Amino acid sequence: MNISLKNQTILVTGASRGIGRAIAKQLSDSGATVIIHYNRNIKEAESLLNELVNPAFLEPCDLSNTEEVIGYIPRLVAKYGPITSLVNNAGIAKSAPDTLETKEWVQIWDETLAVNTTALAIICKEFIDQALPNQQGRIINISSRAAFRGDTTDYIAYAASKGAIVSITRTIARHYGKQGIKAFLIAPGFTRTDMAEEILSEYGEDFALNDIALSELTKPEDISPMVTLLCSGLADHATGATIDINAGSYVH
């Protein structure tokens, strides 16, 4: 099966590193024009731009700032024309032990939901607004196995934020399908990224390896092919579905 994404313009959030970077590379290799979202990692974003084989564009946005997120999609459409697919990958995972003072705990909660849930919902809403006139658009939201099985108490905010993405995605899929909008959910398990390395340094690599059915941790490159397939339109009847990529660590 040869997947071509020629003539597609795809926004990937959190594309400068990790899973988002691997997704952007795979999409570009398949012919898409990729809009690379990043926040502070300008050097990584620029290095990714130089690695891509097709035209691509850098577009920063601070997803923790709701006022900055509002209007992000319309600004991109004004510059590049309609966006055919959206990959919401950006996210944060901050540890908030239950021993924290409540005020500090709430600050981490609020920031996590602002980035992982509120910004994603706004971007989905504005993407749908611009996709409806053409009756065509695909949304791939990157959630987590934590949305379904929970997480450690340090990461309650992360698990809750990823759980909300499940409801957002399913609602979009059920409501907008007949208007040409498809929505899919990918739920990775522990994946070897910079963010994950911080958790590994806290809990140790055996903590992650003992939890999976395979002999090595999932890599970002293990996730990007599925995103490419979903963007292609070859799997549109999976709209609303959750695709688990977690090395057998959670099966439901």
Side-chain angles (χ1 to χ4, degrees):
M1 181 170 56
N2 183 23
I3 294 177
S4 173
L5 301 179
K6 187 178 180 182
N7 299 322
Q8 282 216 44
T9 300
I10 303 176
L11 170 63
V12 181
T13 69
S16 64
R17 299 189 299 171
I19 293 172
R21 189 182 187 95
I23 290 170
K25 285 183 178 180
Q26 180 78 64
L27 295 176
S28 181
D29 287 346
S30 298
T33 297
V34 179
I35 301 175
I36 300 165
H37 160 266
Y38 68 97
N39 182 17
R40 292 185 295 270
N41 297 314
I42 178 63
K43 290 184 178 179
E44 291 91 340
E46 288 176 339
S47 70
L48 171 61
L49 186 67
N50 293 329
E51 293 176 13
L52 300 187
V53 297
N54 279 299
F57 305 98
L58 300 180
E59 288 292 343
C61 184
D62 180 358
L63 299 185
S64 69
N65 183 343
T66 299
E67 292 305 313
E68 188 173 333
V69 177
I70 294 171
Y72 182 59
I73 293 287
R75 292 193 296 271
L76 298 182
V77 172
K79 291 175 72 172
Y80 308 117
I83 300 171
T84 54
S85 293
L86 165 66
V87 182
N88 276 311
N89 162 77
I92 60 173
K94 290 194 170 184
S95 176
D98 53 15
T99 54
L100 284 179
E101 293 292 332
T102 302
K103 185 174 181 180
E104 185 178 354
W105 188 94
V106 169
Q107 288 174 341
I108 294 173
W109 173 276
D110 287 345
E111 183 182 359
T112 301
L113 266 69
V115 173
N116 294 3
T117 306
T118 302
L120 177 143
I122 293 167
I123 290 171
C124 282
K125 191 268 182 196
E126 293 188 340
F127 172 82
I128 292 167
D129 288 345
Q130 63 92 47
L132 283 175
N134 296 323
Q135 297 282 288
Q136 185 74 286
R138 297 180 182 89
I139 298 171
I140 298 93
N141 287 331
I142 309 298
S143 181
S144 169
R145 71 178 183 190
F148 301 95
R149 74 166 208 172
D151 210 317
T152 63
T153 55
D154 293 10
Y155 292 94
I156 286 178
Y158 176 78
S161 70
K162 292 297 186 176
I165 295 172
V166 177
S167 297
I168 292 168
T169 308
R170 291 176 177 174
T171 300
I172 291 170
R174 288 176 54 81
H175 181 77
Y176 292 105
K178 285 186 169 64
Q179 296 162 277
I181 310 299
K182 281 72 67 175
F184 313 90
L185 194 80
I186 292 182
F190 205 92
T191 306
R192 194 177 286 283
T193 63
D194 290 343
M195 185 169 69
E197 291 297 335
E198 296 175 11
I199 300 172
L200 285 176
S201 67
E202 182 178 354
Y203 288 97
E205 186 151 336
D206 286 345
F207 171 82
L209 285 172
N210 291 337
D211 199 37
I212 65 176
L214 301 182
S215 57
E216 61 182 14
L217 293 179
T218 303
K219 303 185 297 296
E221 292 76 15
D222 296 319
I223 296 166
S224 53
M226 181 58 68
V227 176
T228 302
L229 174 64
L230 296 174
C231 287
S232 74
L234 294 172
D236 278 354
H237 281 259
T239 190
T242 300
I243 296 134
D244 296 311
I245 306 178
N246 62 39
S249 60
Y250 181 71
V251 181
H252 64 96

